[in-house]
Amino acid sequence: MNDTLETIFNRRSIRSFIADRKVEQEKLELIIRAALAAPSAGNAQPWKFYILESLELRQQAVEAAYGQSFIAQAPVTIVVCADLQIAVDAYGYRGESLYAYQDTAAAVQNILLAAKSLGLETCWIGAFEENVVARKILRLPKHLRPVAMIPIGYSNETGKPRPKRPQDEVIEWRS
Ligand SMILES: Cc1cc2nc3c(=O)[nH]c(=O)nc-3n(C[C@H](O)[C@H](O)[C@H](O)COP(=O)(O)O)c2cc1C
């Protein structure tokens, strides 16, 4: 199996981080580049990324995410936002209702896989009070919708593979 596939198959959602181990700046920059390299409809790139570094901001992220305290253990959290203005300008209703979320999801997955390939762990956080993140923590303009938060850090946990639905339930070959 090649490195890319190994990264895909070994990635897990990890919910415990080594709190005092920083993420190297070069690694963070590579992860950000990976996010920006994601595909997007018409290459519109309807996204914006906020990197939360201070403990104060990370603790606010925990509160917004209903107390998921492991978020603040990680030394950095990336908040991925969909830019609905760019999306609607590019593709109207389909852009703002579908492509904006597909594009940002692709960027999120790139972040998860890039981090894993660099020896880091992550967890995709979708359960959070959107208004708290948008208005209180980040003070975003209305056209930016936070869609995911991703704590990134080193961990002593490797995680167990989560059960996935059987292939015959979700795959249908047609010829
Ligand atoms: C859209 C989305 C939202 C998620 N939100 C959360 C979350 O708020 N908290 C959390 O601990 N995990 C969250 N997860 C992670 C899932 O629980 C996890 O991906 C799933 O259990 C499968 O485990 P695996 O990632 O290790 O394969 C989310 C994943 C996705 C794709």
Side-chain angles (χ1 to χ4, degrees):
M1 202 180 308
N2 66 31
D3 288 354
T4 305
L5 289 169
E6 277 193 7
T7 302
I8 289 171
F9 289 125
N10 289 333
R11 181 213 56 80
R12 318 253 176 269
S13 294
I14 296 294
R15 299 178 179 86
S16 133
F17 298 94
I18 303 171
D20 52 8
R21 187 154 172 210
K22 291 237 164 317
V23 174
E24 298 83 347
Q25 189 62 24
E26 314 83 73
K27 289 193 177 183
L28 200 49
E29 280 166 20
L30 275 171
I31 291 166
I32 292 163
R33 279 179 59 195
L36 304 187
S40 65
N43 202 26
Q45 302 163 67
W47 49 47
K48 180 122 183 188
F49 304 87
Y50 292 85
I51 323 291
L52 309 188
E53 292 186 301
S54 73
L55 182 59
E56 190 189 340
L57 284 170
R58 291 184 283 121
Q59 275 166 345
Q60 287 177 16
V62 170
E63 275 171 45
Y66 311 107
Q68 299 188 72
S69 55
F70 62 86
I71 296 172
Q73 264 181 3
V76 63
T77 283
I78 299 181
V79 182
V80 180
C81 299
D83 188 323
L84 299 174
Q85 191 61 58
I86 290 179
V88 78
D89 287 349
Y91 287 109
Y93 177 70
R94 195 165 175 80
E96 65 173 344
S97 65
L98 182 63
Y99 295 159
Y101 304 110
Q102 291 180 321
D103 296 348
T104 46
V108 171
Q109 183 72 349
N110 273 12
I111 290 171
L112 305 188
L113 294 177
K116 183 70 193 175
S117 76
L118 295 167
L120 292 154
E121 303 297 345
T122 57
C123 188
W124 182 327
I125 305 291
F128 55 84
E129 196 63 62
E130 213 175 299
N131 273 331
V132 174
V133 175
R135 312 283 159 248
K136 190 173 152 225
I137 305 180
L138 295 173
R139 294 188 291 278
L140 301 178
K142 283 270 186 251
H143 63 278
L144 290 183
R145 180 173 187 194
V147 293
M149 302 201 287
I150 309 160
I152 303 174
Y154 290 95
S155 178
N156 289 321
E157 259 184 49
T158 46
K160 274 197 300 208
R162 303 290 303 151
K164 303 295 175 184
R165 289 170 62 194
Q167 281 203 19
D168 61 4
E169 205 176 290
V170 293
I171 307 287
E172 193 172 318
W173 299 79
R174 297 209 173 170
S175 49

